[in-house]
């Protein structure tokens, strides 16, 4: 299951792929998408989602654990206005205290730039995420891994499958990043439905790299 690095379908990077995610909701014009980004940095992803999708996104919350990083959002990232917001705190704590459900939960939290924090890659955390998704909801994780058969990806996929009936991966061309997708609806279609012309090339690359999450095989850790 090693990825084909010779693919030149498109030159989009990780954040282009995440910018495409509201297109997973075909009814977004009538039912705008409610989004929370866990690992919000200075709000770049919030700015991107709002700027590209406008009223098709009802609300974007960005959660950042480092107050100094979050404080930079006005200068480098995003100046949200209600109902959008930048929240400071641990992703797991804030999600646990949320009094609403989200259509799209994005996990982009990293420790020391190289790894998902351990407490955000557990079956306990995924069981916290699941009931905080709406019935049409999607959970998307930024994973940095050189291949789909490595220990990290196998462990994450195994752990997700403990909680979510639908899982898929979208490999980002020309990078070590994978968008790992999960949904509580066993019939959930995880293909973007189109819409924004500026994302046409990104969509082509996303679809070219999209496949059901591979079976991790014996010995994969939960």
């Amino acid at each position: 299951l090693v990825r084909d690095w010779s693919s030149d379908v498109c030159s989009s990077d990780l954040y282009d792929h995440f910018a495409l995610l509201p297109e997973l909701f075909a009814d977004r014009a009538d039912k705008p998408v409610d989004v929370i980004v866990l690992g919000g940095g200075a709000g770049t992803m919030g700015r991107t989602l709002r700027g590209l999708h406008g009223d098709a996104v009802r609300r974007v919350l960005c959660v950042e654990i480092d107050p100094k990083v979050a404080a930079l959002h006005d200068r480098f990232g995003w100046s949200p206005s209600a109902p959008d917001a930048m929240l400071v705190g641990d992703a797991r704590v804030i999600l646990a205290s949320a009094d609403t459900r989200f259509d799209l939960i994005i996990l982009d939290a990293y420790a020391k730039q190289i790894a998902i924090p351990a407490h955000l890659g557990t079956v306990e955390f995924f069981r916290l995420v699941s009931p905080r998704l709406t019935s049409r909801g999607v959970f998307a994780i930024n994973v940095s891994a050189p291949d789909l058969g490595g220990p990290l990806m196998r462990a994450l996929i195994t752990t997700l499958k403990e909680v979510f009936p639908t899982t898929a991966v979208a490999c980002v061309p020309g990078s070590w990043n994978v968008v790992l997708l999960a949904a509580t609806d066993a019939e959930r279609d995880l293909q973007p439905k189109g819409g924004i012309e500026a994302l046409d090339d990104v969509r082509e690359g996303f679809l070219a790299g999209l496949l059901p999450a591979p079976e991790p095989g014996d010995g994969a850790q939960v």
Side-chain angles (χ1 to χ4, degrees):
L1 295 172
V2 175
R3 276 187 279 172
D4 178 8
W5 298 112
S6 65
S7 172
D8 59 355
V9 172
C10 77
S11 60
S12 67
D13 63 17
L14 169 74
Y15 291 99
D16 293 328
H17 270 50
F18 276 97
L20 194 69
L21 292 181
E23 288 193 7
L24 297 176
F25 302 88
D27 58 351
R28 62 192 180 278
D30 297 320
K31 294 176 62 179
V33 182
D34 220 347
V35 185
I36 187 167
V37 181
L38 307 175
T44 303
M45 195 176 295
R47 180 186 65 180
T48 300
L49 292 170
R50 173 59 68 205
L52 280 171
H53 297 279
D55 291 340
V57 171
R58 189 185 79 84
R59 176 179 61 159
V60 184
L61 300 181
C62 283
V63 179
E64 172 55 45
I65 196 170
D66 188 333
K68 292 183 179 179
V69 173
L72 296 173
H73 68 86
D74 281 329
R75 182 174 178 185
F76 292 111
W78 181 48
S79 298
S81 56
D84 299 346
M86 171 68 75
L87 306 177
V88 176
D90 179 83
R92 189 160 165 173
V93 173
I94 287 183
L95 193 61
S97 65
D99 59 359
T100 186
R101 293 187 177 190
F102 300 92
D103 300 305
L104 179 58
I105 298 177
I106 295 174
L107 177 60
D108 188 32
Y110 269 70
K112 300 180 181 179
Q113 300 296 318
I114 59 171
I116 297 171
H119 71 300
L120 301 180
T122 62
V123 71
E124 290 85 2
F125 177 62
F126 295 161
R127 286 174 179 156
L128 172 64
V129 169
S130 176
R132 280 156 181 79
L133 287 169
T134 62
S135 59
R136 63 175 183 161
V138 175
F139 180 35
I141 310 173
N142 169 21
V143 184
S144 180
D147 65 78
L148 300 182
L152 174 62
M153 283 299 300
R154 292 177 67 231
L156 284 172
I157 290 170
T158 300
T159 308
L160 273 179
K161 286 177 178 287
E162 286 282 308
V163 179
F164 295 94
T166 299
T167 55
V169 296
C171 299
V172 181
S175 83
W176 280 24
N177 289 97
V178 175
V179 181
L180 187 53
L181 301 167
T184 57
D185 181 353
E187 304 298 323
R188 183 63 161 89
D189 180 2
L190 294 173
Q191 295 189 29
K193 307 303 185 292
I196 298 176
E197 185 176 352
L199 294 174
D200 285 350
D201 289 343
V202 180
R203 192 179 309 109
E204 181 181 352
F206 189 103
L207 290 169
L210 181 65
L211 67 156
E215 289 301 324
D218 296 336
Q221 183 180 9
V222 173

PDB file of all heavy atoms in Angstrom, residues 200-217:
ATOM      1  N   ASP A 200     -11.017  23.268  -8.829  1.00  0.00           N
ATOM      2  CA  ASP A 200     -11.159  22.186  -9.806  1.00  0.00           C
ATOM      3  C   ASP A 200      -9.942  21.261  -9.818  1.00  0.00           C
ATOM      4  O   ASP A 200     -10.079  20.034  -9.813  1.00  0.00           O
ATOM      5  CB  ASP A 200     -11.401  22.753 -11.210  1.00  0.00           C
ATOM      6  CG  ASP A 200     -12.819  23.276 -11.396  1.00  0.00           C
ATOM      7  OD1 ASP A 200     -13.669  23.030 -10.517  1.00  0.00           O
ATOM      8  OD2 ASP A 200     -13.078  23.943 -12.419  1.00  0.00           O
ATOM      9  N   ASP A 201      -8.733  21.827  -9.858  1.00  0.00           N
ATOM     10  CA  ASP A 201      -7.525  21.002  -9.888  1.00  0.00           C
ATOM     11  C   ASP A 201      -7.342  20.244  -8.574  1.00  0.00           C
ATOM     12  O   ASP A 201      -6.905  19.092  -8.560  1.00  0.00           O
ATOM     13  CB  ASP A 201      -6.286  21.861 -10.159  1.00  0.00           C
ATOM     14  CG  ASP A 201      -6.230  22.377 -11.585  1.00  0.00           C
ATOM     15  OD1 ASP A 201      -6.959  21.826 -12.429  1.00  0.00           O
ATOM     16  OD2 ASP A 201      -5.479  23.328 -11.850  1.00  0.00           O
ATOM     17  N   VAL A 202      -7.662  20.911  -7.475  1.00  0.00           N
ATOM     18  CA  VAL A 202      -7.569  20.264  -6.167  1.00  0.00           C
ATOM     19  C   VAL A 202      -8.531  19.086  -6.094  1.00  0.00           C
ATOM     20  O   VAL A 202      -8.185  17.992  -5.623  1.00  0.00           O
ATOM     21  CB  VAL A 202      -7.873  21.260  -5.035  1.00  0.00           C
ATOM     22  CG1 VAL A 202      -7.766  20.590  -3.677  1.00  0.00           C
ATOM     23  CG2 VAL A 202      -6.937  22.454  -5.114  1.00  0.00           C
ATOM     24  N   ARG A 203      -9.745  19.289  -6.568  1.00  0.00           N
ATOM     25  CA  ARG A 203     -10.750  18.230  -6.551  1.00  0.00           C
ATOM     26  C   ARG A 203     -10.285  17.030  -7.373  1.00  0.00           C
ATOM     27  O   ARG A 203     -10.471  15.866  -6.990  1.00  0.00           O
ATOM     28  CB  ARG A 203     -12.073  18.772  -7.092  1.00  0.00           C
ATOM     29  CG  ARG A 203     -13.264  17.874  -6.864  1.00  0.00           C
ATOM     30  CD  ARG A 203     -14.545  18.502  -7.415  1.00  0.00           C
ATOM     31  NE  ARG A 203     -14.715  19.861  -6.925  1.00  0.00           N
ATOM     32  CZ  ARG A 203     -14.569  20.948  -7.686  1.00  0.00           C
ATOM     33  NH1 ARG A 203     -14.240  20.845  -8.964  1.00  0.00           N
ATOM     34  NH2 ARG A 203     -14.739  22.142  -7.156  1.00  0.00           N
ATOM     35  N   GLU A 204      -9.684  17.297  -8.515  1.00  0.00           N
ATOM     36  CA  GLU A 204      -9.179  16.217  -9.360  1.00  0.00           C
ATOM     37  C   GLU A 204      -8.122  15.395  -8.620  1.00  0.00           C
ATOM     38  O   GLU A 204      -8.137  14.161  -8.640  1.00  0.00           O
ATOM     39  CB  GLU A 204      -8.581  16.794 -10.650  1.00  0.00           C
ATOM     40  CG  GLU A 204      -8.057  15.745 -11.610  1.00  0.00           C
ATOM     41  CD  GLU A 204      -7.457  16.349 -12.860  1.00  0.00           C
ATOM     42  OE1 GLU A 204      -7.582  17.583 -13.067  1.00  0.00           O
ATOM     43  OE2 GLU A 204      -6.846  15.593 -13.649  1.00  0.00           O
ATOM     44  N   GLY A 205      -7.213  16.088  -7.931  1.00  0.00           N
ATOM     45  CA  GLY A 205      -6.190  15.400  -7.168  1.00  0.00           C
ATOM     46  C   GLY A 205      -6.766  14.650  -5.985  1.00  0.00           C
ATOM     47  O   GLY A 205      -6.326  13.544  -5.656  1.00  0.00           O
ATOM     48  N   PHE A 206      -7.745  15.252  -5.317  1.00  0.00           N
ATOM     49  CA  PHE A 206      -8.398  14.610  -4.168  1.00  0.00           C
ATOM     50  C   PHE A 206      -9.048  13.302  -4.602  1.00  0.00           C
ATOM     51  O   PHE A 206      -8.862  12.251  -3.972  1.00  0.00           O
ATOM     52  CB  PHE A 206      -9.432  15.572  -3.588  1.00  0.00           C
ATOM     53  CG  PHE A 206     -10.037  15.143  -2.275  1.00  0.00           C
ATOM     54  CD1 PHE A 206      -9.618  15.723  -1.094  1.00  0.00           C
ATOM     55  CD2 PHE A 206     -11.032  14.179  -2.217  1.00  0.00           C
ATOM     56  CE1 PHE A 206     -10.171  15.355   0.126  1.00  0.00           C
ATOM     57  CE2 PHE A 206     -11.594  13.792  -1.013  1.00  0.00           C
ATOM     58  CZ  PHE A 206     -11.168  14.384   0.166  1.00  0.00           C
ATOM     59  N   LEU A 207      -9.805  13.342  -5.685  1.00  0.00           N
ATOM     60  CA  LEU A 207     -10.500  12.155  -6.164  1.00  0.00           C
ATOM     61  C   LEU A 207      -9.522  11.089  -6.649  1.00  0.00           C
ATOM     62  O   LEU A 207      -9.760   9.888  -6.470  1.00  0.00           O
ATOM     63  CB  LEU A 207     -11.472  12.539  -7.283  1.00  0.00           C
ATOM     64  CG  LEU A 207     -12.695  13.356  -6.835  1.00  0.00           C
ATOM     65  CD1 LEU A 207     -13.448  13.900  -8.043  1.00  0.00           C
ATOM     66  CD2 LEU A 207     -13.622  12.506  -5.976  1.00  0.00           C
ATOM     67  N   ALA A 208      -8.411  11.525  -7.240  1.00  0.00           N
ATOM     68  CA  ALA A 208      -7.415  10.567  -7.715  1.00  0.00           C
ATOM     69  C   ALA A 208      -6.762   9.818  -6.553  1.00  0.00           C
ATOM     70  O   ALA A 208      -6.361   8.659  -6.697  1.00  0.00           O
ATOM     71  CB  ALA A 208      -6.349  11.276  -8.539  1.00  0.00           C
ATOM     72  N   GLY A 209      -6.653  10.484  -5.400  1.00  0.00           N
ATOM     73  CA  GLY A 209      -5.997   9.866  -4.250  1.00  0.00           C
ATOM     74  C   GLY A 209      -6.942   9.292  -3.220  1.00  0.00           C
ATOM     75  O   GLY A 209      -6.511   8.819  -2.172  1.00  0.00           O
ATOM     76  N   LEU A 210      -8.267   9.320  -3.503  1.00  0.00           N
ATOM     77  CA  LEU A 210      -9.268   8.873  -2.529  1.00  0.00           C
ATOM     78  C   LEU A 210      -9.521   7.377  -2.665  1.00  0.00           C
ATOM     79  O   LEU A 210      -9.780   6.878  -3.763  1.00  0.00           O
ATOM     80  CB  LEU A 210     -10.574   9.640  -2.744  1.00  0.00           C
ATOM     81  CG  LEU A 210     -11.735   9.320  -1.805  1.00  0.00           C
ATOM     82  CD1 LEU A 210     -11.418   9.724  -0.379  1.00  0.00           C
ATOM     83  CD2 LEU A 210     -13.014  10.014  -2.295  1.00  0.00           C
ATOM     84  N   LEU A 211      -9.447   6.660  -1.566  1.00  0.00           N
ATOM     85  CA  LEU A 211      -9.755   5.238  -1.566  1.00  0.00           C
ATOM     86  C   LEU A 211     -10.223   4.826  -0.181  1.00  0.00           C
ATOM     87  O   LEU A 211      -9.920   5.503   0.806  1.00  0.00           O
ATOM     88  CB  LEU A 211      -8.541   4.411  -1.981  1.00  0.00           C
ATOM     89  CG  LEU A 211      -7.321   4.374  -1.058  1.00  0.00           C
ATOM     90  CD1 LEU A 211      -6.523   3.104  -1.302  1.00  0.00           C
ATOM     91  CD2 LEU A 211      -6.420   5.587  -1.298  1.00  0.00           C
ATOM     92  N   PRO A 212     -10.981   3.732  -0.100  1.00  0.00           N
ATOM     93  CA  PRO A 212     -11.383   3.256   1.222  1.00  0.00           C
ATOM     94  C   PRO A 212     -10.151   2.986   2.076  1.00  0.00           C
ATOM     95  O   PRO A 212      -9.115   2.535   1.568  1.00  0.00           O
ATOM     96  CB  PRO A 212     -12.140   1.958   0.913  1.00  0.00           C
ATOM     97  CG  PRO A 212     -12.585   2.107  -0.504  1.00  0.00           C
ATOM     98  CD  PRO A 212     -11.523   2.900  -1.187  1.00  0.00           C
ATOM     99  N   ALA A 213     -10.256   3.282   3.373  1.00  0.00           N
ATOM    100  CA  ALA A 213      -9.122   3.027   4.254  1.00  0.00           C
ATOM    101  C   ALA A 213      -8.753   1.550   4.178  1.00  0.00           C
ATOM    102  O   ALA A 213      -9.614   0.687   4.357  1.00  0.00           O
ATOM    103  CB  ALA A 213      -9.465   3.423   5.681  1.00  0.00           C
ATOM    104  N   PRO A 214      -7.488   1.237   3.901  1.00  0.00           N
ATOM    105  CA  PRO A 214      -7.100  -0.170   3.761  1.00  0.00           C
ATOM    106  C   PRO A 214      -7.227  -0.921   5.066  1.00  0.00           C
ATOM    107  O   PRO A 214      -7.105  -0.346   6.150  1.00  0.00           O
ATOM    108  CB  PRO A 214      -5.633  -0.076   3.307  1.00  0.00           C
ATOM    109  CG  PRO A 214      -5.166   1.258   3.790  1.00  0.00           C
ATOM    110  CD  PRO A 214      -6.360   2.158   3.707  1.00  0.00           C
ATOM    111  N   GLU A 215      -7.484  -2.218   4.956  1.00  0.00           N
ATOM    112  CA  GLU A 215      -7.530  -3.055   6.145  1.00  0.00           C
ATOM    113  C   GLU A 215      -6.116  -3.106   6.749  1.00  0.00           C
ATOM    114  O   GLU A 215      -5.157  -3.418   6.039  1.00  0.00           O
ATOM    115  CB  GLU A 215      -8.013  -4.451   5.807  1.00  0.00           C
ATOM    116  CG  GLU A 215      -9.487  -4.518   5.442  1.00  0.00           C
ATOM    117  CD  GLU A 215     -10.381  -4.019   6.573  1.00  0.00           C
ATOM    118  OE1 GLU A 215     -10.043  -4.270   7.756  1.00  0.00           O
ATOM    119  OE2 GLU A 215     -11.408  -3.378   6.285  1.00  0.00           O
ATOM    120  N   PRO A 216      -5.983  -2.799   8.026  1.00  0.00           N
ATOM    121  CA  PRO A 216      -4.653  -2.707   8.618  1.00  0.00           C
ATOM    122  C   PRO A 216      -3.974  -4.053   8.829  1.00  0.00           C
ATOM    123  O   PRO A 216      -2.753  -4.116   9.024  1.00  0.00           O
ATOM    124  CB  PRO A 216      -4.894  -1.998   9.948  1.00  0.00           C
ATOM    125  CG  PRO A 216      -6.336  -2.238  10.245  1.00  0.00           C
ATOM    126  CD  PRO A 216      -7.040  -2.364   8.937  1.00  0.00           C
ATOM    127  N   GLY A 217      -4.712  -5.148   8.806  1.00  0.00           N
ATOM    128  CA  GLY A 217      -4.111  -6.467   8.970  1.00  0.00           C
ATOM    129  C   GLY A 217      -3.850  -6.813  10.420  1.00  0.00           C
ATOM    130  O   GLY A 217      -4.099  -6.027  11.338  1.00  0.00           O
TER     131      GLY A 217
END
